[in-house]
Amino acid sequence: VQLQASGGGLVQAGGSLRLSCAASGLRTDVMGWFRQAPGKDREFVATIRWSAGSRNYADSVKGRFTISRDNAKNMVYLQMNSLKAEDTAVYYCAADRTTSPSTDWHKYDYWGQGTLVTVSS
């Protein structure tokens, strides 16, 4: 079982990035993105439940970020627009074996290695 996140980098405030997460060895209904800034706890960013077509976003990213999924490729994406300095963090993709999307990162079973997003102001 492996989740491989990619797409992070350095971008100016107001710019965009697209993160990708490739899942191998598992296929789950619920997947999510979380982030952790230096010195802070890991926090929820977005979740997607494939079977219901439902998405959920943290208030801080709503309207700027979009989570999507390509089930055929077993990939999850996070399109990030209008980036702000406070979006700087390591971003992690995660998979949950249940069918109940959660904003609590403790409830996720599998994690990718993280990809660093740095937004310069």
Side-chain angles (χ1 to χ4, degrees):
V1 175
Q2 187 175 18
L3 298 177
Q4 184 74 33
S6 61
L10 174 63
V11 63
Q12 289 189 331
S16 298
L17 280 175
R18 187 194 194 206
L19 305 183
S20 300
C21 177
S24 59
L26 82 162
R27 189 175 292 271
T28 62
D29 194 29
V30 174
M31 295 192 72
W33 286 96
F34 293 79
R35 66 187 181 186
Q36 188 165 16
K40 295 187 176 181
D41 290 335
R42 190 167 299 189
E43 65 175 8
F44 161 72
V45 176
T47 60
I48 185 167
R49 184 183 173 194
W50 175 254
S51 63
S54 59
R55 296 166 174 82
N56 188 30
Y57 297 94
D59 288 343
S60 59
V61 307
K62 204 170 290 184
R64 300 187 297 122
F65 290 11
T66 301
I67 188 171
S68 62
R69 184 166 181 173
D70 185 331
N71 213 37
K73 296 181 180 179
N74 211 7
M75 298 280 294
V76 177
Y77 306 96
L78 186 69
Q79 178 66 43
M80 305 185 296
N81 299 327
S82 302
L83 283 161
K84 305 175 181 179
E86 51 263 43
D87 294 318
T88 294
V90 177
Y91 283 71
Y92 298 90
C93 62
D96 183 357
R97 290 179 296 182
T98 73
T99 57
S100 300
S102 175
T103 60
D104 182 355
W105 68 268
H106 296 91
K107 295 187 177 181
Y108 284 73
D109 302 294
Y110 305 102
W111 290 87
Q113 84 288 1
T115 184
L116 177 62
V117 172
T118 303
V119 183
S120 62
S121 56

